[in-house]
Amino acid sequence: MSEHSTIEWTDATWNPIRGCTKVSPGCKHCYAETFAERFRGVKGHPYEQGFDLRLVPEKLTEPFSWRSPKLVFVNSMSDLFQEGVPDDYANAVSQVMVGASWHTYQVLTKRSERLRDLLSGKLEFAADKENIWWGVSVEDRKYGLPRIKHLQQTPARVRFLSIEPLLEDIGPIDLSGISWVIVGGESGFGARPMEREWVVSIRRQCKASRVPFFFKQWGGVRKTRNGRQLDGRTYDEYPRRVAAVVPDRSSCISFAQAILNSFRGNSLVQLTS
Ligand code: SF4
């Protein structure tokens, strides 16, 4: 939804869906919910309906309007694979990511089984694209580690883990087939603390497996003061990105129009041009 983002590991956010429901302890202090609920009932505001799930088809083709290649966090205010999102709509979002291929997309979910199932079936066309990074959130052993297994069963070209908020020592992790790991602590009021040893263990495992490691933040109530240095330095590693050039404006409009046309008449997607 925003051409620029303050999230450390991305350039922009794109939200063709708004709202979500909580599924595990990592959701407890969901920043998206806190933000969205602030505007519940505010007439005309994008979050007038708070954090209730809402498809936003008018945002679907937004990546075609950006004039430089970006790293895009998809659905920073939602989860593409939550139950209430129809397969057809997830398909439309994936078509845009495949079509506007000059951007690199980061799709992060806690619904790892649906991610695996759709990418093995209806969304297979988007699974092996180098410009789409598919990731799961990992906050603890109980909920997070099974998601890694599901991700490894997904036929994705680029898989990543967002280990945030890290709530405990998650122990040994199987990093086979994983291209990127982000680690971060929880921030804001009531933030649950993260211990250095938990982070160092993950950094060590990434190094041993040659997996790029990104340390996002220590978090805490004073996130800015606590910063993002680990042992005197920052860790800003990324997977390889495909270099791409944005086509001219009229080509972008044609690409977007072709995608809109392919969904015209679909009552679930209800695209507008
Ligand atoms: S899955 Fe993500 S967006 Fe949804 S409630 Fe949990 S933290 Fe928030």
Side-chain angles (χ1 to χ4, degrees):
M1 206 169 95
S2 162
E3 204 177 335
H4 304 285
S5 170
T6 54
I7 298 170
E8 289 77 358
W9 45 264
T10 200
D11 298 335
T13 55
W14 170 44
N15 283 288
I17 301 169
R18 296 181 190 136
C20 192
T21 49
K22 298 185 175 191
V23 286
S24 62
C27 298
K28 186 175 179 189
H29 298 133
C30 173
Y31 74 91
E33 181 195 33
T34 308
F35 177 87
E37 286 299 332
R38 228 182 280 157
F39 300 100
R40 183 179 286 280
V42 178
K43 277 248 164 303
H45 192 277
Y47 290 93
E48 182 181 350
Q49 294 166 32
F51 203 44
D52 299 348
L53 173 61
R54 217 189 114 198
L55 308 182
V56 195
E58 61 271 26
K59 289 283 175 191
L60 260 179
T61 55
E62 191 173 51
F64 287 100
S65 68
W66 296 333
R67 300 310 303 151
S68 60
K70 293 186 185 303
L71 196 51
V72 185
F73 180 13
V74 180
N75 291 312
S76 62
M77 298 293 290
S78 184
D79 187 331
L80 179 64
F81 294 100
Q82 63 187 294
E83 216 174 65
V85 177
D87 289 358
D88 280 353
Y89 198 79
N91 188 323
V93 171
S94 303
Q95 298 266 8
V96 172
M97 295 192 288
V98 170
S101 59
W102 44 93
H103 300 303
T104 300
Y105 301 89
Q106 301 155 312
V107 186
L108 182 60
T109 186
K110 286 191 175 70
R111 278 79 171 184
S112 49
E113 287 168 285
R114 190 167 180 220
L115 164 80
R116 177 196 61 200
D117 297 347
L118 280 179
L119 263 63
S120 305
K122 288 182 178 173
L123 302 187
E124 206 180 355
F125 66 92
D128 72 340
K129 301 291 180 242
E130 210 174 345
N131 72 309
I132 310 178
W133 301 353
W134 302 97
V136 296
S137 299
V138 178
E139 71 267 50
D140 62 9
R141 293 177 189 226
K142 182 177 173 188
Y143 291 90
L145 296 185
R147 293 190 193 121
I148 300 177
K149 279 210 165 30
H150 302 148
L151 182 65
Q152 286 161 329
Q153 292 160 358
T154 302
R157 167 89 69 102
V158 184
R159 303 182 189 90
F160 73 98
L161 309 180
S162 172
I163 306 182
E164 187 195 7
L166 178 56
L167 299 177
E168 64 178 1
D169 177 7
I170 57 171
I173 330 166
D174 177 5
L175 289 172
S176 49
I178 303 298
S179 302
W180 190 34
V181 170
I182 303 164
V183 175
E186 191 166 54
S187 59
F189 183 73
R192 292 160 284 184
M194 176 176 71
E195 291 183 17
R196 177 183 171 276
E197 288 68 34
W198 308 347
V199 182
V200 169
S201 161
I202 298 168
R203 180 184 62 181
R204 183 174 21 81
Q205 295 181 66
C206 286
K207 192 172 179 199
S209 300
R210 297 170 179 260
V211 174
F213 173 79
F214 190 104
F215 183 56
K216 184 185 168 203
Q217 63 179 28
W218 286 105
V221 179
R222 292 185 186 84
K223 165 186 153 153
T224 312
R225 196 188 68 179
N226 294 336
R228 49 188 304 268
Q229 291 222 336
L230 174 60
D231 296 335
R233 57 160 287 194
T234 52
Y235 288 84
D236 292 323
E237 297 166 3
Y238 286 90
R240 195 177 81 89
R241 259 174 88 177
V242 189
V245 175
V246 180
D248 60 69
R249 203 175 287 273
S250 63
S251 304
C252 286
I253 292 170
S254 306
F255 278 135
Q257 199 59 52
I259 290 175
L260 293 176
N261 289 342
S262 71
F263 283 95
R264 205 167 290 286
N266 184 318
S267 62
L268 287 173
V269 175
Q270 290 179 348
L271 292 169
T272 53
S273 51

